[in-house]
């Protein structure tokens, strides 16, 4: 028995199957792309919140370190000139602000979302390669700044706590300064310590670097947030 093949019908069926598969693949690709864009947008919105937190932390750091820098300048200038401490309150206030930066770098970390992007391999979801690089660079610089903060000398912070029994930030939060015996011990430290001037100079030099770095991060933070908002 001779089998007759209808090539026209076979070709038509092949075309239908081919286009059916192509459409299904295209639909799958479209859904995957849609999911990727949705996930990308979600991460970008979370990054904006993360950067907002970073800005608040950086502004706080900027205030702390700038005030500490001014306070160390005041103390160094008076100690270098061997000026008599006539206004104990002024010296106690500046000693407190000079040592208010006793903290850890972790207090300024705000990289949870970026770390998640890196660890899950989803950083590539950000389609704009330039923006992706700028985001990575921002967190790299933030990490360097945190390390610089962590390297600030702690000798004066420890000494302040030994003399007063509390951290300097405690008094600043309470809008007061050490008085009585604690205040007297701080003034005597400034009057008689053989190394206090050297310690203040070293802290001041490190604060110079950190203040510049933190201000740069503040500016970078604002620019990056604006770019992400435009992208989203």
């Amino acid at each position: 028995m001779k089998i007759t093949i209808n090539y026209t019908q076979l070709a038509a069926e092949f075309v239908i199957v081919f286009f059916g598969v192509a459409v299904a693949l295209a639909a799958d690709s479209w859904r995957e792309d849609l999911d990727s864009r949705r996930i990308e947008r979600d991460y970008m919105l979370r990054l904006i919140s993360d950067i907002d937190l970073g800005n608040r932390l950086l502004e706080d750091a900027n205030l702390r370190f700038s005030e500490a820098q001014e306070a160390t300048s005041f103390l160094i200038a008076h100690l270098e000139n061997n000026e008599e401490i006539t206004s104990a309150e002024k010296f106690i206030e500046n000693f407190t602000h000079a040592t208010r930066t006793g903290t850890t770098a972790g207090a300024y970390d705000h990289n949870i979302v970026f770390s998640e992007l890196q660890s899950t391999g989803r950083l590539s979801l950000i389609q704009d390669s330039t923006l992706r690089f700028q985001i990575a660079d921002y967190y790299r610089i933030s990490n360097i700044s945190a390390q610089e903060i962590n390297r600030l000398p702690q000798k004066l912070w420890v000494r302040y706590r030994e003399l007063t029994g509390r951290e300097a930030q405690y008094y600043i939060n309470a809008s007061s300064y050490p008085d009585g015996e604690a205040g007297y011990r701080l003034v005597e430290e400034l009057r008689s310590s053989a190394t206090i001037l050297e310690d203040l100079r070293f802290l001041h030099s490190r604060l110079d670097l950190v203040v510049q770095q933190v201000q740069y991060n503040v500016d970078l933070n604002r620019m990056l947030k604006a770019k992400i908002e435009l992208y989203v």
Side-chain angles (χ1 to χ4, degrees), residues 4-22:
T4 303
I5 299 176
N6 189 331
Y7 288 102
T8 302
Q9 183 181 352
L10 186 61
E13 290 176 355
F14 174 79
V15 170
I16 291 171
V17 171
F18 174 81
F19 277 105
V21 172

Side-chain angles (χ1 to χ4, degrees), residues 9 58 104:
Q9 183 181 352
L58 289 167
T104 62

Side-chain angles (χ1 to χ4, degrees), residues 169-181:
Q169 192 61 41
Y170 165 84
Y171 290 102
I172 293 172
N173 290 341
S175 299
S176 64
Y177 297 101
D179 55 12
E181 284 297 316

Side-chain angles (χ1 to χ4, degrees), residues 31-153:
R31 280 194 295 269
E32 287 177 6
D33 186 63
L34 193 64
D35 285 343
S36 294
R37 300 292 67 79
R38 180 183 57 77
I39 295 170
E40 178 195 30
R41 177 178 170 76
D42 178 64
Y43 271 116
M44 297 304 266
L45 292 175
R46 289 175 61 196
L47 275 172
I48 289 174
S49 297
D50 197 45
I51 290 169
D52 276 336
L53 170 62
N55 186 58
R56 293 193 295 272
L57 294 174
L58 289 167
E59 291 286 2
D60 176 68
N62 205 25
L63 172 66
R64 287 171 179 256
F65 300 141
S66 294
E67 287 187 351
Q69 188 183 36
E70 292 176 7
T72 54
S73 293
F74 172 88
L75 294 172
I76 289 168
H78 284 76
L79 292 175
E80 282 180 338
N81 295 327
N82 293 316
E83 293 184 14
E84 182 65 25
I85 299 178
T86 55
S87 174
E89 292 81 7
K90 189 68 174 175
F91 282 85
I92 291 171
E93 177 183 339
N94 278 279
F95 200 170
T96 302
H97 281 279
T99 55
R100 70 172 299 187
T101 57
T103 184
T104 62
Y108 301 100
D109 285 346
H110 57 285
N111 61 354
I112 295 175
V113 179
F114 181 72
S115 295
E116 183 180 327
L117 280 168
Q118 281 189 311
S119 63
T120 58
R122 288 180 167 177
L123 192 58
S124 59
L125 285 173
I126 301 174
Q127 289 185 307
D128 188 321
S129 59
T130 300
L131 182 59
R132 186 168 63 243
F133 171 80
Q134 289 172 334
I135 290 171
D137 198 48
Y138 167 76
Y139 283 99
R140 179 185 62 81
I141 293 171
S142 294
N143 184 55
I144 292 173
S145 297
Q147 292 173 10
E148 289 297 332
I149 291 170
N150 210 31
R151 281 197 287 266
L152 281 169

Side-chain angles (χ1 to χ4, degrees), residues 25 92 224:
L25 291 174
I92 291 171
L224 181 60

